[in-house]
Amino acid sequence: MSRYMPITGIENNFHALLIDTQAPLDVLHDTAAYRIAAVTQLLENLAMRADISTDAVVLHDFAQVLAIPLRDGCDLLDVIGRRLQTQVLASQSESAT
């Protein structure tokens, strides 16, 4: 895994937003949790409101806005999973020798 990984969802050849895959795991986790919690909070607030119009364009735009931090959080969790898997494999190799 390269040191800097671009976030997904942006289709171009130059990536301005990157994840430092070597950042401490707790920092990666906190960043992912913050983004996912923000999306969850907003969705929960929406679910509690009965008076929201169902304008398809507004709902589509709103869903796109929420998808961005959710995708970022998933990308961060993917990096955490890869790092943890690497640690597990390394400790198993050490145990076998």
Side-chain angles (χ1 to χ4, degrees):
M1 178 172 18
S2 62
R3 168 91 194 242
Y4 297 102
M5 181 183 99
I7 60 170
T8 58
I10 301 173
E11 302 299 328
N12 61 32
N13 293 327
F14 182 79
H15 301 286
L17 297 175
L18 304 168
I19 297 170
D20 182 353
T21 63
Q22 295 177 15
L25 288 175
D26 63 319
V27 172
L28 292 171
H29 180 268
D30 288 346
T31 305
Y34 180 78
R35 281 162 172 68
I36 293 168
V39 172
T40 303
Q41 175 93 30
L42 213 46
L43 287 172
E44 287 173 348
N45 285 337
L46 271 176
M48 302 279 182
R49 299 178 188 266
D51 59 343
I52 293 179
S53 72
T54 56
D55 182 352
V57 173
V58 171
L59 291 177
H60 178 264
D61 291 346
F62 196 71
Q64 282 186 315
V65 167
L66 290 176
I68 294 168
L70 188 57
R71 187 180 303 117
D72 292 354
C74 290
D75 288 347
L76 288 157
L77 289 175
D78 181 54
V79 170
I80 292 168
R82 291 181 195 189
R83 292 256 313 267
L84 291 173
Q85 185 64 30
T86 301
Q87 288 179 1
V88 166
L89 292 173
S91 75
Q92 289 174 349
S93 292
E94 290 174 5
S95 297
T97 57

